[in-house]
Amino acid sequence: MVALVASPSRAVTMRSSVVRASGLTKRYGPIQAVDGISFEVRPGECFGFLGPNGAGKTSTMKMIYCVLPPTAGDLQVLGMDVRTRARQIKARLGVVTQDNTLDSALSVRENLVIFARYFDLPWREARRRADDLLEFVALADRADSKVEQLSGGMRRRLMVARALVSQPDLLVLDEPTTGLDPQARQLTWEKLRQLKRTGVTQILTTHYMEEAAALCDRIVIMDQARVVAEGAPADLVRAHVGREVVELRGLQDGEAILKVVGDLADGHEALSDLLLLYTADGEALLHRIREQGLVVEAATLRRATLEDVFLKLTGRTLRD
Amino acid sequence: MMLFSLKGAYRFWQRNAFIFRRIFPESLAVNFLEPVIYLLAMGFGLGAYLSTIGGLPYLVFVATGLVSTAAMFGATFECTYNAYVQMYYEKAYDAVITTPLNVEDVVVGEILWGATRSVLYGTVFLIVVAAFGVVRSPLALLIPALFMVSGLMFSVIAMTFTAVNPSIDYFTFYFALFITPMFMFSGVFFPLDALPAWVSTAAWLTPLSHVVSLARALALGTVEGRHMWDLVWMLVVTAALFPLPVVLMRRRLVK
C-alpha cells in the first residue's frame, strides 16, 4: 500500500503537466534546429512528434532527456528545470535513443543489470527487474545471448526494456520502430500500449503516420524547426483534410475536374499524375465526375489519414 | 566545468570492471607481451654484452624500468583505443548519459578505470620480474600505490587526446610522437645522466621519467630526498591537467 502513496513531489507533478515547453529554442551555430516551440504533455498520455527528417524532433527529445542544453526558452520536465536539475530528472526517465546503444561486450541480461546500477539499484533488485523485463519484451529465452546475435527487432525491444529498468515516470522514445519489419513493429506497439495502460507517460517521435495514429493520444507536427499543427490524430485529420480522400489517376484535364467538383471538395493536392481531392462526401464527388463524363483512368475513394495531413502541412519536397 | 559525482564515476568504473573481469587473462597477456619481449631482448640479449650500469646488472636495471612502462601502457591503451571505441563506435557514453550519470562522471570513471588497469598491469609485471630476483627492497610494496598516481596521470593525458581526436587513425600519432619517444628516453634502457645535459633536461619534462626514477628506487631500496620531487611532479601535472579531458569531452559530446 506504501507504493500507492507516492512521494509528495510525484503527486504534485501528476496533477500538473509532465513536460511543459515554452519558446523552446535550439541553435547549432547558424542552424536553427528548434525555433521557439511550445507544447505540454499531460500525465498518462502518449504524445507524438511527427515531422520529416531535420524537422527538429530529435533535438527536442534530447533537450527533454537533458543531454542537450536549450539555447533559449523554458523547459520543465516532471516539474523541474532541465538546466538545473538534469540528474534528478534523468533519474525518473526512461530513454530509447534513435541509435541502438546496447553494450556489445555484455549479454542481453547484463545489459539490463548494469544499466540498472546507474540508477543505484542494488544488484539483487537489478537482476530481478532484468528478468521481469526480459519476460515482458519476450526476450527471456535470449537472456544469455550476445547483443550481436539479436535481430533488429529484438535489439529495439531490448532498448525498450533497458529504458524501463528504472521504472520511469516518463518514457521518451526517439523513432522506436524505424527500420523494423511489420511483425517486429506490431510487437513493439503492443508493448508500448501495454505500458500506457499501466499509466506511464510516453513521448515518441516517428515519421510513420500509422504509428502515430496507433499509439498517440495527441501529436504535434513539426516542420523546419516549428510546430505546424497540434491535436488528437483524428481531430487533425478532420480539421485539415476532412473525412475522405478521392484519388484520381490518369487525368486529361485536372482543371476541368476541379471546376466540376466545385465545393464538394474542401481542398486538393496535385501531383504529377495524381490528383487528391479532400472531401466530406466521396460518393457524391465520384458520382458527379461520372455524371459529367470526365475521363479518368482510375478513381479510388479512401478514408483521410494522418499522412494526408502531414503531406498537406509539410509539403512534398524531399527532406534529407 | 560541471561537477562530477564520485558515485557516478564509480558506477561507470564498475561497468568497465564488470566487462574486464571476463577478458582479464587474455587482455593482461597481450599487454604483457611487449615489455616481456623487451626484457628478454634487452636484459638477456643486450645484457650479455654489458657488465653493469651504475653498479647494477643490466637485467636488473632494465627490468626495474620496464615495470613502469607496463603500467603506462595499461592506462594508455584504456584511455586511447578502448575509450574511443566505447565513445564513438559503441556509443556507450551516449547510453550512459541518459541515466543520472553525466558526461563528467563518465570521463572521470574512465580515467579511474585507466589508473586501475595501470596498477593491475604494473603490479603483475612487477611480480613476474621479482621472480628474476630484481626486487631488492620491501619498499617495492609501495609501487602499486605509485602506479595509481602515475596511472591517473597517463589516463588524464590520454583522455585529453581522445577527447579532441578526430579519428581513431590518429592514435598512431599519439604513440609515435609521444609514447614511443618517451619509452626510449625516460631512463628505462640507459641512465639519463650519461647523456648531454640538454637531453636529460628534456627527459625530465617527460612524465614517464619520473615514474621510472621512483619505481626503480623503490624496487632497489635506494630512495633519496630527490625522489620526492618525482612524486610532486606527477601530482602537480595530474592535478593541473585533470579538468582538461572533462571539459573537452563535454564540448565534444554535448553540442
Side-chain angles (χ1 to χ4, degrees):
Chain A
M1 284 300 102
V2 180
L4 288 176
V5 193
S7 66
S9 70
R10 195 166 293 203
V12 170
T13 31
M14 285 306 143
R15 260 187 275 118
S16 54
S17 54
V18 175
V19 178
R20 189 199 304 269
S22 69
L24 185 62
T25 298
K26 182 69 197 177
R27 270 188 294 271
Y28 303 98
I31 298 161
Q32 187 87 32
V34 177
D35 189 3
I37 67 171
S38 301
F39 59 89
E40 195 179 334
V41 180
R42 300 170 195 145
E45 75 175 340
C46 178
F47 192 87
F49 283 82
L50 262 80
N53 289 334
K57 303 186 299 292
T58 296
S59 292
T60 305
M61 292 305 112
K62 285 185 171 175
M63 288 191 278
I64 292 172
Y65 62 76
C66 306
V67 304
L68 196 64
T71 312
D74 185 51
L75 179 58
Q76 304 276 327
V77 178
L78 299 164
M80 295 176 274
D81 191 328
V82 294
R83 289 189 178 85
T84 53
R85 301 191 60 194
R87 257 187 224 280
Q88 290 91 328
I89 292 171
K90 288 194 294 175
R92 291 170 56 191
L93 296 189
V95 179
V96 175
T97 50
Q98 198 173 94
D99 297 321
N100 285 337
T101 55
L102 298 164
D103 234 318
S104 64
L106 300 173
S107 74
V108 167
R109 187 165 180 264
E110 287 165 349
N111 258 283
L112 301 185
V113 175
I114 291 296
F115 214 72
R117 296 286 295 156
Y118 299 143
F119 291 89
D120 273 338
L121 269 76
W123 287 102
R124 219 186 142 86
E125 177 66 8
R127 280 191 286 263
R128 197 186 61 73
R129 281 199 203 167
D131 290 336
D132 288 352
L133 285 168
L134 288 178
E135 203 70 57
F136 176 67
V137 296
L139 284 173
D141 55 333
R142 305 304 297 266
D144 297 320
S145 301
K146 285 269 175 203
V147 171
E148 302 103 89
Q149 296 164 335
L150 301 184
S151 69
M154 290 173 172
R155 284 180 206 197
R156 220 53 193 147
R157 260 146 53 212
L158 184 56
M159 285 290 288
V160 173
R162 196 180 69 175
L164 294 171
V165 285
S166 60
Q167 297 182 327
D169 295 322
L170 170 63
L171 191 57
V172 182
L173 306 124
D174 198 355
E175 296 188 10
T177 66
T178 297
L180 299 190
D181 63 37
Q183 286 82 0
R185 176 172 303 159
Q186 286 294 340
L187 184 55
T188 307
W189 288 359
E190 189 191 311
K191 295 303 164 193
L192 294 179
R193 272 193 292 254
Q194 235 171 301
L195 279 172
K196 189 168 173 294
R197 283 195 290 274
T198 69
V200 180
T201 309
Q202 298 175 23
I203 300 178
L204 63 87
T205 72
T206 182
H207 35 233
Y208 297 120
M209 303 307 124
E210 70 279 20
E211 181 159 282
L215 296 175
C216 299
D217 302 305
R218 290 192 305 134
I219 59 171
V220 292
I221 297 181
M222 283 187 79
D223 190 32
Q224 294 173 343
R226 290 168 186 274
V227 169
V228 292
E230 177 178 356
D235 295 343
L236 283 174
V237 174
R238 215 172 304 124
H240 291 275
V241 286
R243 220 161 51 85
E244 295 177 327
V245 178
V246 172
E247 292 188 4
L248 302 174
R249 239 174 250 284
L251 303 173
Q252 286 179 340
D253 189 354
E255 288 299 317
I257 291 212
L258 286 176
K259 212 169 292 165
V260 162
V261 298
D263 57 1
L264 271 178
D266 306 321
H268 71 277
E269 191 82 37
L271 293 156
S272 55
D273 79 325
L274 181 71
L275 181 66
L276 300 179
L277 297 168
Y278 305 130
T279 176
D281 190 348
E283 289 292 352
L285 197 151
L286 281 173
H287 184 72
R288 186 176 293 179
I289 292 171
R290 252 179 256 123
E291 224 175 38
Q292 300 288 327
L294 291 167
V295 184
V296 173
E297 211 170 84
T300 319
L301 172 62
R302 60 170 175 81
R303 286 175 63 95
T305 67
L306 213 42
E307 183 140 357
D308 298 306
V309 180
F310 185 81
L311 292 176
K312 187 176 177 193
L313 293 176
T314 66
R316 294 177 183 276
T317 339
L318 190 63
R319 307 292 167 77
D320 286 307
Chain B
M1 175 173 147
M2 272 175 78
L3 288 180
F4 71 92
S5 107
L6 211 52
K7 187 174 74 183
Y10 170 63
R11 288 279 177 253
F12 195 72
W13 179 94
Q14 203 170 42
R15 164 203 181 263
N16 286 336
F18 187 92
I19 292 170
F20 184 73
R21 239 182 13 184
R22 128 171 14 139
I23 54 158
F24 181 64
E26 301 92 306
S27 165
L28 206 60
V30 170
N31 276 265
F32 256 147
L33 211 58
E34 191 157 321
V36 170
I37 288 169
Y38 277 98
L39 185 66
L40 293 176
M42 299 294 174
F44 292 107
L46 192 59
Y49 297 93
L50 299 168
S51 49
T52 58
I53 285 186
L56 292 171
Y58 189 62
L59 177 71
V60 173
F61 182 83
V62 161
T64 50
L66 284 170
V67 170
S68 302
T69 64
M72 174 180 77
F73 281 118
T76 302
F77 277 113
E78 175 60 33
C79 290
T80 53
Y81 285 104
N82 275 8
Y84 196 85
V85 168
Q86 296 298 314
M87 170 187 74
Y88 188 83
Y89 296 99
E90 297 266 310
K91 303 198 185 302
Y93 295 3
D94 291 341
V96 176
I97 62 174
T98 68
T99 74
L101 276 62
N102 60 24
V103 176
E104 289 76 9
D105 302 341
V106 173
V107 176
V108 175
E110 191 78 82
I111 287 169
L112 289 176
W113 175 246
T116 307
R117 276 185 66 163
S118 199
V119 173
L120 282 174
Y121 288 65
T123 304
V124 177
F125 194 82
L126 179 68
I127 293 168
V128 172
V129 297
F132 291 91
V134 302
V135 175
R136 297 177 174 184
S137 163
L139 282 178
L141 292 172
L142 293 174
I143 291 178
L146 164 67
F147 287 160
M148 194 67 208
V149 176
S150 67
L152 280 175
M153 174 174 69
F154 287 121
S155 294
V156 165
I157 296 169
M159 208 59 184
T160 304
F161 186 81
T162 300
V164 295
N165 187 9
S167 135
I168 197 163
D169 302 322
Y170 285 81
F171 283 124
T172 317
F173 292 102
Y174 186 76
F175 281 87
L177 299 178
F178 178 57
I179 295 294
T180 304
M182 193 160 60
F183 181 52
M184 301 312 291
F185 292 96
S186 289
V188 176
F189 301 107
F190 45 83
L192 294 171
D193 46 23
L195 299 170
W198 69 267
V199 180
S200 55
T201 308
W204 187 84
L205 293 172
T206 68
L208 183 61
S209 66
H210 301 279
V211 193
V212 170
S213 151
L214 195 45
R216 186 176 279 139
L218 289 170
L220 301 175
T222 56
V223 181
E224 298 167 24
R226 66 184 168 96
H227 289 115
M228 183 57 117
W229 293 108
D230 291 320
L231 186 62
V232 170
W233 195 101
M234 284 188 273
L235 290 171
V236 168
V237 167
T238 307
L241 295 182
F242 186 78
L244 259 185
V246 182
V247 169
L248 292 172
M249 199 57 101
R250 167 161 285 272
R251 204 170 291 172
R252 177 174 190 140
L253 294 178
V254 179
K255 298 280 182 253

